[in-house]
Amino acid sequence: MSTVRTGLTAQFVNSVKQSGKYYDGRGDGLILRVAPGGSKQWLWRGMVQGRRRDYGLGPVRYTPLAEARRIAFEYRRVAYLGGDPKGTHRTMMNPAQPQPAVVPHVVPQPVMQPMTRSVPTFADATEVVIGLYAAKWKPGSRSPDQWRQSLGDYAFPKLGSKQLDQITTADVMAVLTPIWTTKPTTAKRIRQRISAIMAWAVAQGYRADDPAGAAITKALPKTNGPKKHLAAVPHREAPAAVRKIRASGGYHPVRLATEFAILTAARSSEVRGAQWSEIDREPALWTIPATRMKAGREHRVPLASEALRVLAEAEAYSQPSDPSAFVFPNKKGRELGSWQLSKLVAGLDLGGTLHGFRSTFRDWCSNQSVPREIAELCLAHRIGSAAEQAYARSDILEQRRKVMKAWGQHIER
């Protein structure tokens, strides 16, 4: 699984050893690729004439970060103007002799006018907007890939090669109509993403309106039905469900991560991304940084003895001496995939989903007369209005510790 990092540094580039892809996050498409053997190479990724391309920029040992960023910027500019950066010739810099700036060679495009501002295509604009949004997405977020895949599957066939000022409401309707009622969730997300790209186009002066806006709302039928909640195991059946998870076969870190998620009432993403640096066994505390939390703020999870037992078992499959190592790694030492935990739970036919166990925990809290504020904080939910949140600075850790201890004892029944 690729690792996303917003804003690479020279120190990080020189010291990183874990294999994967590290995105610079500046929106120019620069990627640091670390091979399993330790070799490092620069890549550039972007939309070139309506199609996504990956171009190599050379080994890191010969190309410093600053130069790689400059080259990536030039590649993005060439692609934005309709050219193909593959034809760009760059000269390796000699530290002893100043070299002239790299001037990319672009094959003239017959449709381009030298003095006219070129209107980007929808595909090109998509990459620009993804680059802008990257700064607010959490490290490790799948959002960039989800944007590219959903728009690539449904929007690009009809909109990808069109210039932004040539896209009409009818074009957007042609994208959404086939899936509006059959795949309503997907369709709504695609519409939101198209609208975000069009809002950027309006802000840049490429067009005056959003063709995915109000007219679409009135033209397409409403698909709002009863909200479906993820299935949850009844709290009285939770102990038996966890025993079934423990007895299951398969890859041990997946089983341990699933049990740990239930014992801590945490989200799957929080558990899969857990590193040993976040675990403090002396006070039995797991501190999840704000960058990995849905609410964007640090969350402390008191660990019951049952959760500590799971961590002790996990040591055999990880590297607890390495603070950056994942607590529950896959076979390559990287973060587990979200599907791995979900697949385990689904295959055991427990009557609920992994995320549904958060509801199981919440129902148990109600049954035990746990105060609402404490139960909600155990789930890392925001409580009350913005004003109330501003004054509620305490995370009532010790009260939550008692709740998590009782929950662990309930699971061990």
Side-chain angles (χ1 to χ4, degrees):
M1 177 176 288
S2 298
T3 303
V4 177
R5 183 182 180 88
T6 301
L8 296 175
T9 64
Q11 181 180 1
F12 177 83
V13 171
N14 292 331
S15 62
V16 63
K17 295 181 180 179
Q18 182 177 334
S19 60
K21 291 180 180 178
Y22 300 83
Y23 295 75
D24 192 22
R26 293 194 171 195
D28 292 329
L30 181 63
I31 301 172
L32 168 64
R33 182 173 66 184
V34 182
S39 63
K40 303 174 185 179
Q41 182 184 27
W42 294 115
L43 296 177
W44 178 83
R45 173 175 293 173
M47 298 300 298
V48 177
Q49 298 172 354
R51 301 184 66 182
R52 196 186 85 172
R53 299 291 189 187
D54 287 4
Y55 294 151
L57 303 184
V60 169
R61 61 184 298 186
Y62 299 128
T63 312
L65 174 60
E67 183 181 353
R69 280 176 170 163
R70 179 173 55 77
I71 297 171
F73 176 81
E74 291 296 334
Y75 273 39
R76 173 73 71 191
R77 186 180 69 83
V78 171
Y80 175 77
L81 294 174
D84 186 347
K86 191 174 183 180
T88 299
H89 302 287
R90 62 187 180 92
T91 304
M92 298 304 294
M93 302 297 289
N94 183 344
Q97 298 180 357
Q99 298 291 328
V102 175
V103 180
H105 172 70
V106 183
V107 178
Q109 302 296 311
V111 297
M112 295 179 60
Q113 298 296 328
M115 300 303 294
T116 303
R117 186 188 185 197
S118 176
V119 178
T121 65
F122 180 83
D124 289 336
T126 297
E127 286 299 314
V128 175
V129 173
I130 288 175
L132 292 173
Y133 278 34
K136 76 170 186 176
W137 284 328
K138 296 182 178 67
S141 171
R142 296 173 59 205
S143 295
D145 291 336
Q146 290 170 344
W147 272 60
R148 292 186 179 101
Q149 182 174 350
S150 64
L151 293 174
D153 290 345
Y154 297 101
F156 282 11
K158 293 182 173 63
L159 307 180
S161 60
K162 281 181 174 268
Q163 291 184 331
L164 293 175
D165 60 344
Q166 299 299 313
I167 296 174
T168 67
T169 301
D171 294 327
V172 179
M173 285 284 290
V175 172
L176 299 177
T177 301
I179 58 173
W180 189 253
T181 56
T182 57
K183 299 178 180 179
T185 301
T186 299
K188 289 180 180 179
R189 286 176 180 167
I190 291 171
R191 180 194 171 182
Q192 291 170 351
R193 289 164 185 171
I194 293 175
S195 186
I197 293 166
M198 292 303 167
W200 175 83
V202 172
Q204 293 293 316
Y206 292 123
R207 60 180 302 129
D209 65 329
D210 174 10
I216 294 288
T217 303
K218 296 180 179 180
L220 292 170
K222 292 183 178 180
T223 57
N224 295 332
K227 187 174 181 179
K228 294 182 180 180
H229 297 280
L230 294 173
V233 173
H235 62 84
R236 292 182 180 85
E237 299 176 15
V242 172
R243 287 195 295 271
K244 199 170 182 180
I245 291 171
R246 290 175 188 162
S248 64
Y251 188 52
H252 287 288
V254 174
R255 173 180 59 78
L256 292 171
T258 303
E259 185 178 353
F260 190 75
I262 295 171
L263 287 168
T264 57
R267 298 177 179 89
S268 170
S269 61
E270 296 159 4
V271 173
R272 289 183 290 106
Q275 298 178 336
W276 287 109
S277 60
E278 301 171 4
I279 305 296
D280 194 342
R281 304 192 205 200
E282 187 66 29
L285 201 63
W286 172 28
T287 303
I288 311 174
T291 53
R292 295 206 305 106
M293 291 300 300
K294 183 177 181 180
R297 61 183 181 184
E298 181 182 273
H299 180 54
R300 298 193 296 173
V301 182
L303 300 173
S305 59
E306 293 77 15
L308 291 173
R309 173 189 54 76
V310 172
L311 291 176
E313 289 187 48
E315 289 183 354
Y317 307 96
S318 183
Q319 301 177 32
S321 60
D322 181 0
S324 64
F326 290 110
V327 177
F328 308 103
N330 65 13
K331 294 180 180 180
K332 294 183 178 181
R334 302 175 190 171
E335 182 178 325
L336 289 170
S338 58
W339 62 271
Q340 291 179 277
L341 276 64
S342 300
K343 183 179 179 180
L344 172 64
V345 174
L348 295 175
D349 194 23
L350 301 177
T353 65
L354 177 58
H355 193 79
F357 272 100
R358 284 168 56 83
S359 294
T360 301
F361 169 78
R362 187 63 180 85
D363 292 342
W364 173 84
C365 286
S366 297
N367 184 264
Q368 299 296 309
S369 300
V370 174
R372 173 181 174 275
E373 292 79 5
I374 297 178
E376 291 298 311
L377 281 174
C378 286
L379 293 167
H381 286 165
R382 292 185 179 275
I383 303 173
S385 65
E388 289 175 308
Q389 293 171 19
Y391 286 101
R393 303 294 176 88
S394 172
D395 64 357
I396 51 177
L397 179 65
E398 294 309 313
Q399 293 95 317
R400 290 192 294 117
R401 188 180 294 280
K402 296 177 182 178
V403 173
M404 300 313 296
K405 178 180 178 180
W407 171 246
Q409 292 172 342
H410 171 71
I411 294 297
E412 286 294 324
R413 286 193 314 166

